[in-house]
Amino acid sequence: MKTASCRYTLLPSLLDETFPLEPEEAAEQENPALCTEDFHEPVLNEKSNIVHLEEIQKLAPHFPLRVIGHSWNLIYYTARDGFSLKTMYRSMTDLVSPILLVIRDTDGQIFGAFSSTAIHVSSCFYGNGEMFLFSFTPQLKVFKWTGKNTFFMKGDADSLAIGGGSGKFGLWLDGDLNHGGSHPCETFNNEPLSPREEFLIHDLEIWALA
């Protein structure tokens, strides 16, 4: 059986409107094939300073099928744009495409989250069942929605939380994007994404996928 090769190409990207699936439909896509004849390689408009070709090849097939093969547009990077949650929010103003949040902590651990919607300030949780958390430990682990609650994501000027339940967040970041934390949570039934439940952020990227 012929196996498709996987690679990425640096090209300009365009942001097209996308429509998130209902949670029930998204839950059916928990186990996509990691590399098939129909797999379309992601297209990056810039080189990532956190994830490399091998990580991209492993992570991209876990996106919803409507996103696979779309361009990756780097819209926020801490080394370029500064360490600020408010600035990160502003980078996604009016953005309608799914996003990928990628973090590297000061221990070199790489982890993050996929969201079908842009991250924004909200007084209540938002998102849907397409969201997931991931980590490279060093092998990729993806933590999909369990269906136990809908505590997908919530953020204000001081913090961002992804996943929740019983007072624990799957991933949270402070307003200065210096500190963060990760605990097992009911939303994703995840392991701590970083070896340290409270970590220091070395760098962070937000990619628009459209």
Side-chain angles (χ1 to χ4, degrees):
M1 178 177 178
K2 182 180 179 181
T3 301
S5 61
C6 299
R7 60 185 178 85
Y8 72 86
T9 308
L10 302 180
L11 290 174
S13 65
L14 297 175
L15 299 181
D16 298 321
E17 184 175 2
T18 58
F19 298 90
L21 300 177
E22 294 299 322
E24 292 80 9
E25 296 175 348
E28 296 177 359
Q29 300 179 19
E30 285 194 6
N31 297 303
L34 293 182
C35 193
T36 70
E37 293 289 343
D38 296 326
F39 177 73
H40 298 286
E41 71 233 21
V43 178
L44 281 67
N45 75 323
E46 297 183 45
K47 181 180 179 180
S48 172
N49 290 282
I50 300 178
V51 288
H52 301 103
L53 174 59
E54 182 180 359
E55 286 87 9
I56 291 169
Q57 289 174 340
K58 292 178 179 178
L59 183 60
H62 288 275
F63 299 154
L65 295 179
R66 62 191 177 83
V67 177
I68 292 177
H70 284 193
S71 300
W72 292 32
N73 183 37
L74 184 62
I75 60 174
Y76 177 80
Y77 176 42
T78 48
R80 180 189 68 194
D81 304 310
F83 285 76
S84 168
L85 187 58
K86 292 180 181 178
T87 303
M88 190 184 83
Y89 288 142
R90 285 196 294 270
S91 73
M92 287 175 274
T93 301
D94 300 324
L95 185 68
V96 296
S97 68
I99 63 94
L100 183 71
L101 164 67
V102 185
I103 298 169
R104 178 168 54 197
D105 65 18
T106 53
D107 291 323
Q109 180 71 17
I110 298 172
F111 51 91
F114 168 84
S115 172
S116 291
T117 61
I119 301 172
H120 58 84
V121 174
S122 176
S123 60
C124 58
F125 283 92
Y126 61 94
N128 65 31
E130 289 183 331
M131 286 192 68
F132 63 79
L133 298 174
F134 67 89
S135 69
F136 289 95
T137 57
Q139 297 300 314
L140 174 64
K141 292 185 177 181
V142 174
F143 304 99
K144 298 293 184 86
W145 179 44
T146 64
K148 292 183 178 180
N149 63 40
T150 55
F151 300 153
F152 295 115
M153 182 161 53
K154 181 174 70 172
D156 56 27
D158 298 318
S159 65
L160 171 69
I162 301 176
S166 302
K168 300 290 186 180
F169 298 117
L171 177 63
W172 67 266
L173 307 174
D174 72 2
D176 295 325
L177 294 183
N178 288 324
H179 296 82
S182 178
H183 300 83
C185 74
E186 295 173 0
T187 312
F188 302 108
N189 192 31
N190 59 287
E191 302 171 2
L193 304 180
S194 172
R196 302 176 186 270
E197 289 190 339
E198 295 190 8
F199 54 82
L200 296 175
I201 298 171
H202 184 273
D203 42 13
L204 180 152
E205 295 176 348
I206 296 286
W207 294 85
L209 309 178

